[in-house]
Amino acid sequence: MKYILSVVMVLFYFTNVYAEEVSWEDNKFSISAGFGLMAGHTTYQIGGHVDTPQGSDDIHFPLSELKFPLDVYIGALNGAVKLNEKWKIKAGLKKNITSESGKMEDSDWGILYLEGEPGADPDSLDIYSESDTEVDLFIMDIAARYYFNEKTHKRLKFLFFIGGRYIYQKFDFDVSDLDQWYPSRPYLEHDYVSGKVLTYEVTKHIPALIIGTELFTKGNLSLDAVLGYSPIVTVEDEDNHILRDKISKAECDGDATLFSLAGSYNFHSRWAFELRFDYMSIDTKGDEKQYDEGQYSATIDQKNFSEIAIYGLNITYLF
């Protein structure tokens, strides 16, 4: 939150400094390229209702959690085209330019409880591990804006819009060099495994409704703010536990909240710098099917969620 407030304060400072007169460019098309820092995670938990070929049961939730970090630098390419006075189309692509994304955290609760140990607590963290991760990610973002109103206040011009947005995310993780220990049994030694121990792929489809405003002042500074919500997010993932020859596949549905804030400064008639912040929170639920040594073994409840922030700097060319 402190980063958002800092960006807002800087942008409003420049708004006051440069708001001597209002003018705005009637640019039909723009293209931008830049880089940014992504911070966040994509996480899944399992537990709850379990179906197996032998029968069904209900266990505590969560039984297990895998938290995959998304702390990488990314490159971005964006374009926008103004169809007329009412409609604008925007599209963007993002790709990682570094791959090491941090430590994956794997937590298991209540393992001793399930094994029937007397006095065991289902909320006890019994197994915990950290592993190195590398990620290959791709994000596509397409939006359509419909401008339904405009207001001029003193030396500022506001354009208000609603619209739709579709975001596609694909994250492929390679996890290696396991360090595992047992918090509820500190007398046990750490287990170490070198090399690749797990792969994880997750794909997310996020169609959203958006509302926002564009602010223009003097023609050299603009501010773009967007809020969005999706009630129909879908997530598909596949986890390959190489050490156990176990593959898990899940499909989840849920919702997402989106927010973005961008400020652009035109330092030339056709060139601009853009500083932007993007945030997304996703929360979904579904079922995970598990396969041991290629044979179906169980279906279990899964919760798949993520929180991602991107801090970006772009340079834009205006046509």
Side-chain angles (χ1 to χ4, degrees):
M1 180 61 68
K2 64 180 180 179
Y3 298 106
I4 301 175
L5 293 176
S6 298
V7 172
V8 172
M9 290 175 65
V10 170
L11 291 173
F12 273 98
Y13 168 77
F14 281 108
T15 297
N16 291 328
V17 169
Y18 290 105
E20 298 176 0
E21 59 179 283
V22 173
S23 62
W24 46 87
E25 300 288 343
D26 187 23
N27 299 295
K28 299 296 184 183
F29 182 74
S30 66
I31 187 168
S32 67
F35 68 95
L37 172 64
M38 175 181 288
H41 67 90
T42 182
T43 299
Y44 80 82
Q45 298 174 334
I46 58 172
H49 187 74
V50 184
D51 291 319
T52 70
Q54 291 74 38
S56 300
D57 198 3
D58 290 291
I59 60 175
H60 57 277
F61 189 98
L63 168 68
S64 181
E65 175 186 277
L66 277 74
K67 185 175 183 180
F68 297 86
L70 287 165
D71 303 327
V72 293
Y73 288 96
I74 61 170
L77 181 65
N78 305 287
V81 57
K82 187 175 182 181
L83 302 179
N84 51 47
E85 294 300 317
K86 292 293 186 180
W87 287 96
K88 180 188 286 187
I89 305 296
K90 296 172 67 73
L93 303 174
K94 293 182 177 67
K95 186 77 175 66
N96 59 297
I97 53 180
T98 61
S99 58
E100 295 182 359
S101 58
K103 293 287 188 180
M104 189 275 284
E105 302 174 20
D106 187 348
S107 305
D108 297 312
W109 293 271
I111 302 301
L112 298 180
Y113 175 82
L114 288 180
E115 293 175 350
E117 181 169 311
D121 184 355
D123 296 323
S124 172
L125 179 59
D126 293 330
I127 305 174
Y128 178 80
S129 68
E130 293 183 351
S131 306
D132 296 328
T133 61
E134 293 187 352
V135 66
D136 183 21
L137 68 86
F138 174 76
I139 299 175
M140 179 178 66
D141 188 345
I142 301 173
R145 296 181 175 186
Y146 174 76
Y147 296 89
F148 64 89
N149 196 9
E150 68 176 66
K151 297 288 185 180
T152 301
H153 177 69
K154 295 183 179 179
R155 292 180 290 271
L156 304 176
K157 181 178 182 179
F158 297 85
L159 301 179
F160 299 94
F161 61 85
I162 58 174
R165 187 175 178 185
Y166 170 73
I167 302 172
Y168 170 87
Q169 297 178 344
K170 178 68 179 297
F171 305 132
D172 292 339
F173 292 90
D174 286 335
V175 181
S176 59
D177 299 334
L178 172 76
D179 177 8
Q180 178 171 286
W181 62 97
Y182 308 89
S184 63
R185 293 166 289 173
Y187 52 87
L188 296 178
E189 296 183 353
H190 285 223
D191 293 326
Y192 299 97
V193 179
S194 299
K196 187 183 294 188
V197 297
L198 183 146
T199 63
Y200 180 64
E201 300 179 2
V202 58
T203 303
K204 306 183 182 187
H205 301 272
I206 308 118
L209 300 173
I210 59 173
I211 186 170
T213 184
E214 296 178 8
L215 164 65
F216 296 90
T217 173
K218 198 186 174 181
N220 58 0
L221 183 71
S222 63
L223 181 67
D224 187 287
V226 184
L227 288 173
Y229 176 73
S230 173
I232 49 173
V233 176
T234 60
V235 175
E236 300 173 352
D237 72 355
E238 180 174 325
D239 180 333
N240 183 359
H241 275 71
I242 297 172
L243 297 180
R244 291 188 284 162
D245 194 13
K246 181 177 182 178
I247 294 178
S248 302
K249 301 179 181 181
E251 295 183 2
C252 297
D253 301 298
D255 59 6
T257 302
L258 321 172
F259 171 74
S260 65
L261 179 67
S264 297
Y265 178 72
N266 289 63
F267 62 91
H268 183 273
S269 61
R270 293 194 178 277
W271 291 94
F273 283 120
E274 180 188 62
L275 179 66
R276 66 177 300 114
F277 172 79
D278 294 282
Y279 172 83
M280 177 182 300
S281 176
I282 298 175
D283 191 3
T284 66
K285 296 179 181 180
D287 296 325
E288 176 184 282
K289 296 186 182 298
Q290 301 178 349
Y291 303 84
D292 291 293
E293 299 180 347
Q295 300 296 316
Y296 169 77
S297 58
T299 298
I300 191 168
D301 292 343
Q302 185 189 102
K303 181 178 180 180
N304 197 305
F305 55 96
S306 62
E307 188 173 28
I308 299 172
I310 300 176
Y311 309 87
L313 176 64
N314 298 320
I315 186 168
T316 304
Y317 182 75
L318 309 170
F319 291 85

